[in-house]
Amino acid sequence: MKIIDGKATAAEIKSEIAKEVAEMIDIGKDVPHLAAILIGDDPASQTYVSGKEKSCKKVGFISSLYKFPADISEKELLKVVDFINKDDEVNGLIVQLPLPDHINVNKIIESIDPSKDVDGFHPLNVGKMVLNLPAYLPATPYGILQLFERYNIETVGKNCVILGRSNIVGTPISILMSRKAYPGNCTVTVCHSKTKNLEKICRTADILIAAIGSPEFVTADMVKKDAVVIDVGIHRVKSKETKSGYKLLGDVKFDEVSKKCSYITPVPGGVGPMTIVSLLKNTLKAAKKEVYK
Ligand code: GUN
């Protein structure tokens, strides 16, 4: 069994991006600029956004943060997005989710200029992804593809089972794994809360991607010998084993599944660190006008 080290891979890609930014500066090009909008004071969202800002700094990008209280109106938020859309100095724009209930999230996402939508959430980018046209890919699925690539994991003709059908992970990774491309060319099955015989389907997987949002859901008896297991889950649960009183668990029961599979991503240090790297890669593509000319 081999551990897929997302932390090390992310560090490697970040240093490649930093090198490219230094070269851009040398030849007088503008450095990539990512803007983030953060609404309210949800601690997880604050942590994610500050992680994104720190990573920008590390690779030499400019980052700007637009922070507003949870009671900002939808109209005001649309004005902010419009303002950033029109700012020629900003290459990428993300609106951290979730948004407060009084704001229509789809309306906000659709208001983002698709050429700046480095989260890949705008319907135009989703549509382009489905058609295998140049598009910004959503961060977590893009991070998973990069792990397959960096570890030279064969995907053609494999049975890929995906647990979860969210807009952010399950649905886009199902499209990407079935596309005529590498990584891709898989026969994909998507399992969700209404799936019958889920455990049996999991046992057919050469590649199992768990994004179901339930701690340690995948047990060894659900995994075929030598499968590749990608764990997208991250859950902070109470623990007597750690000083902090908490530990992080994935959607996969790591101790038992790792003994049976050929490759596995740990939690933490697997898929997580790759998501920010994907956002940086998309922002770099935006600055270089690689997706929208
Ligand atoms: N909330 C959880 N994941 C994400 C993400 O990838 N992008 C944004 N904008 N918000 C999120």
Side-chain angles (χ1 to χ4, degrees):
M1 182 273 302
K2 223 175 156 173
I3 301 267
I4 298 178
D5 188 341
K7 198 173 165 196
T9 309
E12 200 178 288
I13 297 174
K14 272 190 206 166
S15 67
E16 290 166 13
I17 297 172
K19 193 165 162 244
E20 196 166 340
V21 173
E23 284 164 9
M24 288 169 89
I25 294 170
D26 278 351
I27 56 170
K29 290 213 168 130
D30 291 339
V31 301
H33 181 165
L34 175 68
I37 299 178
L38 176 61
I39 309 294
D41 45 20
D42 172 50
S45 290
Q46 284 176 345
T47 306
Y48 290 142
V49 168
S50 79
K52 289 168 189 179
E53 282 192 291
K54 265 188 220 148
S55 297
C56 279
K57 217 178 208 171
K58 211 162 178 186
V59 298
F61 287 6
I62 298 170
S63 73
S64 38
L65 177 60
Y66 293 76
K67 258 180 105 168
F68 297 95
D71 63 358
I72 186 174
S73 70
E74 187 179 282
K75 203 169 157 196
E76 277 304 311
L77 182 53
L78 286 167
K79 269 196 215 162
V80 176
V81 172
D82 185 54
F83 174 81
I84 303 171
N85 279 343
K86 288 178 178 148
D87 182 346
D88 289 339
E89 290 183 8
V90 173
N91 307 110
L93 163 62
I94 59 162
V95 179
Q96 187 64 32
L97 305 180
L99 291 175
D101 289 345
H102 67 277
I103 295 175
N104 180 335
V105 60
N106 291 325
K107 204 165 166 184
I108 301 302
I109 289 172
E110 285 178 37
S111 74
I112 297 171
D113 178 341
S115 73
K116 294 190 179 185
D117 167 43
V118 286
D119 258 333
F121 291 168
H122 190 286
L124 187 67
N125 281 312
V126 178
K128 283 175 183 263
M129 173 192 71
V130 172
L131 297 170
N132 209 358
L133 295 170
Y136 298 117
L137 302 182
T140 303
Y142 187 20
I144 296 170
L145 296 191
Q146 291 176 84
L147 288 175
F148 285 130
E149 257 181 46
R150 298 267 165 161
Y151 279 82
N152 282 316
I153 292 171
E154 185 59 89
T155 60
V156 58
K158 304 287 184 193
N159 289 336
C160 176
V161 174
I162 294 158
L163 301 180
R165 55 178 164 184
S166 71
N167 287 348
I168 293 183
V169 185
T171 296
I173 195 68
S174 73
I175 304 288
L176 293 165
M177 293 308 283
S178 66
R179 290 198 314 190
K180 197 169 184 174
Y182 175 77
N185 274 315
C186 289
T187 305
V188 172
T189 309
V190 180
C191 297
H192 46 73
S193 55
K194 301 285 188 284
T195 298
K196 287 181 182 150
N197 301 319
L198 182 141
E199 295 179 5
K200 199 172 160 197
I201 296 169
C202 286
R203 282 191 284 272
T204 67
D206 302 307
I207 298 172
L208 182 62
I209 302 178
I212 203 160
S214 177
E216 298 191 320
F217 181 87
V218 177
T219 47
D221 58 312
M222 293 163 69
V223 177
K224 183 158 101 174
K225 192 177 174 303
D226 292 333
V228 175
V229 179
I230 306 292
D231 189 349
V232 182
I234 184 144
H235 312 276
R236 191 167 173 261
V237 296
K238 284 199 171 134
S239 168
K240 287 188 183 133
E241 299 159 31
T242 60
K243 243 195 219 168
S244 66
Y246 289 95
K247 67 175 173 182
L248 290 175
L249 293 179
D251 284 355
V252 175
K253 208 161 189 174
F254 183 87
D255 290 348
E256 55 180 64
V257 172
S258 58
K259 291 188 182 113
K260 207 170 171 187
C261 60
S262 60
Y263 286 90
I264 189 165
T265 60
V267 176
V271 173
M274 293 300 293
T275 60
I276 288 187
V277 157
S278 302
L279 184 66
L280 298 175
K281 284 199 88 140
N282 280 344
T283 306
L284 183 62
K285 284 182 186 181
K288 290 163 77 183
K289 300 199 170 14
E290 277 181 12
V291 177
Y292 291 83
K293 307 291 169 204

